[in-house]
Amino acid sequence: MIDDLDLVFDESEKGEKGRHRRGAVRKRNGKSGGRGKTIFALLMALVLLGGIGGGAYVGFDRIRNHFVTPDYDGPGSGEALVEVKAGDTLTDIGNSLYDAGVVKSTKAFIEAADANSRSKNIQVGRYKVRKQMKAADVVTLLLDPKSRVVNGVTIPEGTISLAIYDILSKQTKIPVAEFKAAAKDPVKLGVPAYWFNRGDGKKGPKSIEGFLFPATYEIPPKATATQILSMMVDQFLTVTQEVNFVQKAQQERKISPYEALITASIAQAESVNHVDFPKVSRVIYNRVYAGKIGCKCLGIDSAINYWLRLQGKDPKDSNVLKNSEIHDLKNPYNTHDVAGLPVTPISNPGEDALKGAVNPPAGDWIYFMTIDQKGTMGYGSNDAEFRQLQKKMCDNGVLSGSNCT
């Protein structure tokens, strides 16, 4: 009778221990049989099963699942651990959830994921969920970072690419040289080519700096340097899309996304506290674009230190940098004598710095300075306010030497 009702399951549709993936039905002989034939078959089945009696309940349940997607009703109970692997489709994820006893059918999960526009953001990793959950609730849990069982590597905000390679190499045992080689072509790692367009006329290398999003990553076994860096680029693109970074840079700030990214990287490097990212970004825009100062020079030492680190040298505090280092015209990151933004980002900014760069507050500040040991930032709009900030720095032991006499 079951065969006549066109409910034959392929062996590949069985779960562990011969269980069927309930809700997974295939066409037989490449034909669907037609809607009228299917309804007739169901009616006949109901009549026959009614005659057979209560012992046919299991058979009826299977026939019903041919037409209705099996799904649990409640929030579930207990605990289960499932893994989303690189390259998994929704079907793969659904199968894993079914085998773990989390969802009642693979089909229920697929339908719930299709109904949730954010399901495409489900990340690779292991997740702590509950058994016998409603499929829509499972999708919600998989999108919640708190559900992830993290056993990976953390990249702090503001870490430059060279330091990231060191961190990743220690975690994965992949040589630093392989990360450097993989990073030579950011476009191959997934950075869209348009990200390197600028509106200020400056030319620079296509650097990976700025695109390696700082976060905690679970590194898949046997992942290559290229795959790991691509994972970080993909996260960068996901976050910038979520905060509408490209559109806000172009439409509200009237600059290229790359220039906004450079601004975010500077704010990340210069600020101790996240609350300062937007204001620091405003200062940068005032100096470079608004004509608030004559030379349109940023005059930041973090760019000089970035160049020193690229050369394998240690960074220096501002009060010990030599004039020859500050005014080195061979330094492509010279922002004291050269107008405008640096040629590339100088760090890998986090989400708050990215948001600050495209959502700066109104203000006419042209100076920002760290005025105490806690990292408190002060802002000034003219030379008199600059001198007041400088005095606070000296009084608080942040600045010393000739600048404090």
Side-chain angles (χ1 to χ4, degrees):
M1 176 59 70
I2 291 177
D3 185 65
D4 290 340
L5 290 176
D6 198 26
L7 292 178
V8 179
F9 283 73
D10 186 84
E11 289 299 316
S12 64
E13 295 169 340
K14 294 181 180 179
E16 294 176 358
K17 300 182 181 178
R19 294 188 300 160
H20 289 298
R21 301 196 192 285
R22 307 186 72 175
V25 183
R26 67 179 179 87
K27 296 178 182 178
R28 188 158 63 93
N29 299 325
K31 299 178 182 179
S32 64
R35 178 176 176 84
K37 180 180 176 181
T38 301
I39 294 174
F40 175 75
L42 176 59
L43 292 173
M44 288 297 295
L46 292 174
V47 172
L48 291 171
L49 290 173
I52 293 172
Y57 176 78
V58 175
F60 170 73
D61 190 52
R62 290 185 60 199
I63 293 171
R64 181 188 62 185
N65 291 342
H66 184 61
F67 303 95
V68 180
T69 302
D71 195 3
Y72 292 117
D73 294 328
S77 61
E79 188 176 290
L81 195 65
V82 294
E83 182 177 5
V84 176
K85 300 177 181 177
D88 271 1
T89 63
L90 289 178
T91 300
D92 294 328
I93 299 172
N95 287 343
S96 297
L97 291 165
Y98 174 79
D99 290 340
V102 178
V103 296
K104 200 169 187 179
S105 69
T106 297
K107 187 179 178 184
F109 173 76
I110 293 173
E111 290 178 355
D114 285 341
N116 189 324
S117 61
R118 294 184 60 240
S119 64
K120 63 181 181 296
N121 296 327
I122 295 175
Q123 301 293 310
V124 171
R126 292 183 298 157
Y127 293 83
K128 188 182 295 184
V129 292
R130 297 181 293 276
K131 290 183 179 292
Q132 299 186 356
M133 292 184 67
K134 185 176 178 63
D137 294 340
V138 177
V139 175
T140 300
L141 269 185
L142 294 181
L143 290 168
D144 185 354
K146 294 179 181 178
S147 299
R148 292 187 66 189
V149 179
V150 177
N151 182 22
V153 56
T154 298
I155 306 300
E157 295 177 348
T159 309
I160 70 170
S161 57
L162 291 180
I164 289 176
Y165 306 153
D166 287 335
I167 294 171
L168 293 174
S169 180
K170 290 177 182 177
Q171 177 74 17
T172 65
K173 310 306 178 185
I174 298 173
V176 168
E178 292 188 24
F179 287 104
K180 288 182 178 180
K184 285 184 177 180
D185 190 344
V187 175
K188 287 185 178 180
L189 293 176
V191 180
Y194 74 81
W195 268 96
F196 295 102
N197 297 333
R198 316 180 50 139
D200 59 4
K202 279 200 173 184
K203 302 293 182 182
K206 288 184 178 180
S207 170
I208 194 63
E209 203 71 69
F211 298 102
L212 300 178
F213 190 77
T216 297
Y217 295 90
E218 280 199 64
I219 308 299
K222 299 182 181 179
T224 65
T226 297
Q227 291 170 333
I228 295 170
L229 297 185
S230 294
M231 185 192 313
M232 299 179 71
V233 169
D234 184 64
Q235 185 62 17
F236 167 85
L237 296 175
T238 296
V239 172
T240 50
Q241 183 178 18
E242 288 175 349
V243 303
N244 208 20
F245 188 86
V246 172
Q247 289 78 6
K248 285 186 176 182
Q250 294 173 330
Q251 297 171 12
E252 298 179 21
R253 304 273 65 79
K254 307 299 182 184
I255 60 176
S256 70
Y258 195 58
E259 291 165 78
L261 176 60
I262 294 172
T263 300
S265 77
I266 295 170
Q268 183 77 70
E270 291 281 350
S271 307
V272 174
N273 301 312
H274 284 210
V275 68
D276 288 302
F277 293 151
K279 267 192 172 183
V280 170
S281 294
R282 171 55 66 192
V283 172
I284 294 170
Y285 293 143
N286 284 345
R287 294 179 73 92
V288 172
Y289 299 105
K292 297 290 185 180
I293 61 172
C295 71
K296 296 185 178 180
C297 300
L298 279 177
I300 57 170
D301 295 335
S302 55
I304 298 172
N305 277 317
Y306 177 73
W307 175 245
L308 291 176
R309 295 178 72 180
L310 290 184
Q311 307 307 303
K313 300 177 182 178
D314 292 330
K316 298 181 179 181
D317 290 336
S318 295
N319 59 340
V320 297
L321 279 170
K322 300 176 182 178
N323 279 331
S324 59
E325 294 169 324
I326 295 173
H327 300 289
D328 181 7
L329 294 178
K330 295 181 180 180
N331 178 357
Y333 293 89
N334 181 331
T335 61
H336 288 267
D337 307 288
V338 180
L341 296 170
V343 292
T344 73
I346 62 170
S347 76
N348 290 281
E351 183 173 348
D352 286 347
L354 291 169
K355 288 179 178 178
V358 291
N359 296 288
D364 60 356
W365 312 290
I366 55 175
Y367 300 108
F368 59 80
M369 302 170 77
T370 303
I371 59 175
D372 62 27
Q373 300 292 345
K374 297 179 181 179
T376 305
M377 198 78 81
Y379 299 88
S381 303
N382 51 55
D383 289 344
E385 291 179 357
F386 171 83
R387 288 190 291 273
Q388 291 173 2
L389 292 172
Q390 194 174 54
K391 184 178 185 304
K392 288 183 180 179
M393 293 176 70
C394 294
D395 291 344
N396 293 327
V398 177
L399 190 65
S400 61
S402 58
N403 291 317
C404 294
T405 57

